[in-house]
């Protein structure tokens, strides 16, 4: 019984570590706290039983109850340790998965995740007959920033740009690095007309923003603009690659038209700009 008490005390440590790792407001946290309280209740019960029977004469048959108590303590200790180890392993797996799908520079999703999610969103849109739009943006004259201030400053500018985009888009939208300084945004259940409005708002927000890298030897703030191509899913667009190709052609048209503008791909008419 005394050994069982120490085993129950040992079981409290992994469970308390698990409770501390759970965020405030997590639905499972109160349940683990209840389990922690039950273990303390069992410890008190084990101690009371031990004191009550400390000097009593016992036979071999009387050892059944203490043996069961001891087995219960071992079980609780194993469950506590397994629960904590499982939670730790799942946390590591989640971090690893996040690293595999996140662009380390900008802090948005990477191209691999973009390709996967876009295929899934196209299937879902076709299945339910819902709208789907994609935005492809590129920083205008980004090479000039790298040549003038250096690539480290260019990286800082991209990080700040990524944060501006994340602040502007909706929770249901998905932002990913397409390549270089090109960024793609998937707009689920969004028609092209709505995507154009969102893209124009983003373009204006970036044009108004001041980018202030801390390492440049100048008091000047860096201003930049972006060009955006928008394409929407339709019956003729049956693949993710085709949808990306249309958005890319619309982006190219935006750059050819003078940059710092939004251009949409329209079926049968080619790219056309809402600003023209």
């Amino acid at each position: 019984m005394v050994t069982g008490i120490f085993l129950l005390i040992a079981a409290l440590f992994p469970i308390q570590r698990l409770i501390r790792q759970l965020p405030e407001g997590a639905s499972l946290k109160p349940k683990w706290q209840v389990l922690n309280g039950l273990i303390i209740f069992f410890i008190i019960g084990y101690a009371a039983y031990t004191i009550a029977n400390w000097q009593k004469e016992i036979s071999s048959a009387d050892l059944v109850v203490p043996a069961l108590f001891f087995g219960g303590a071992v079980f609780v200790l194993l469950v506590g340790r397994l629960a904590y180890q499982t939670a730790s392993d799942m946390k590591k797996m989640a971090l690893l998965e996040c690293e595999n799908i996140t662009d380390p520079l900008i802090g948005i999703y990477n191209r691999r995740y973009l390709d996967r999610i876009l295929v899934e969103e196209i299937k879902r849109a076709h299945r339910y007959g819902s709208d789907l739009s994609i935005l492809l943006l590129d920083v205008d004259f980004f090479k000039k920033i790298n040549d003038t201030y250096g690539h480290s400053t260019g990286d800082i500018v991209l990080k700040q740009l990524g944060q501006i985009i994340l602040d502007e888009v909706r929770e249901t939208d998905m932002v990913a690095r397409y390549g270089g300084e090109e960024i793609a945004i998937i707009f689920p259940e969004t028609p092209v007309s709505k995507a154009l409005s969102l893209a124009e708002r983003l373009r204006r927000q970036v044009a108004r923003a001041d980018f202030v890298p801390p390492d440049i030897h100048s008091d000047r703030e860096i201003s930049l603009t972006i060009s955006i191509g928008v394409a929407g899913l339709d019956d003729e667009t049956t693949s993710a690659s085709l949808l990306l190709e249309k958005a890319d052609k619309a982006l190219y048209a935006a750059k050819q038209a003078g940059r710092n503008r939004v251009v949409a791909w329209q079926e049968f008419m080619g790219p056309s700009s809402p600003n023209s």
Side-chain angles (χ1 to χ4, degrees), residues 88-225:
S88 299
D89 290 345
M90 291 180 66
K91 183 178 180 180
K92 292 177 182 177
M93 291 173 61
L95 289 174
L96 182 61
E97 175 67 15
C98 183
E99 291 175 356
N100 287 335
I101 65 175
T102 303
D103 179 79
L105 175 61
I106 308 181
I108 57 180
Y109 292 116
N110 57 23
R111 175 65 185 272
R112 180 190 309 168
Y113 189 71
L114 168 68
D115 292 338
R116 189 175 80 191
I117 291 299
L118 186 56
V119 170
E120 294 176 2
E121 288 293 341
I122 288 176
K123 289 181 180 178
R124 189 170 71 90
H126 281 308
R127 184 183 305 119
Y128 297 107
S130 57
D131 293 309
L132 176 67
S133 297
I134 187 169
L135 176 158
L136 196 60
L137 68 87
D138 188 28
V139 179
D140 298 328
F141 304 111
F142 186 73
K143 184 177 183 299
K144 184 178 179 181
I145 296 176
N146 283 333
D147 293 342
T148 304
Y149 303 107
H151 288 275
S152 60
T153 295
D155 290 344
I156 295 173
V157 169
L158 284 179
K159 290 180 183 178
Q160 295 175 348
L161 174 63
Q163 189 58 54
I164 291 174
I165 295 172
L166 291 174
D167 290 341
E168 286 295 318
V169 300
R170 305 164 302 182
E171 292 183 359
T172 55
D173 304 329
M174 198 278 285
V175 184
R177 191 174 186 180
Y178 185 69
E181 62 272 14
E182 292 183 341
I183 295 175
I185 306 176
I186 299 176
F187 295 117
E189 300 183 7
T190 304
V192 173
S193 58
K194 178 65 174 178
L196 281 171
S197 299
L198 295 171
E200 180 61 24
R201 186 182 70 189
L202 178 60
R203 183 195 67 80
R204 292 177 180 175
Q205 183 64 25
V206 172
R208 287 195 299 261
D210 293 318
F211 297 83
V212 191
D215 298 329
I216 63 174
H217 303 291
S218 173
D219 294 331
R220 278 193 312 152
E221 296 171 335
I222 298 177
S223 297
L224 58 85
T225 60

Side-chain angles (χ1 to χ4, degrees), residues 236-248:
E236 302 298 325
T237 308
T238 57
S239 67
S241 59
L242 184 55
L243 184 59
L244 283 169
E245 180 182 352
K246 289 183 176 182
D248 189 53

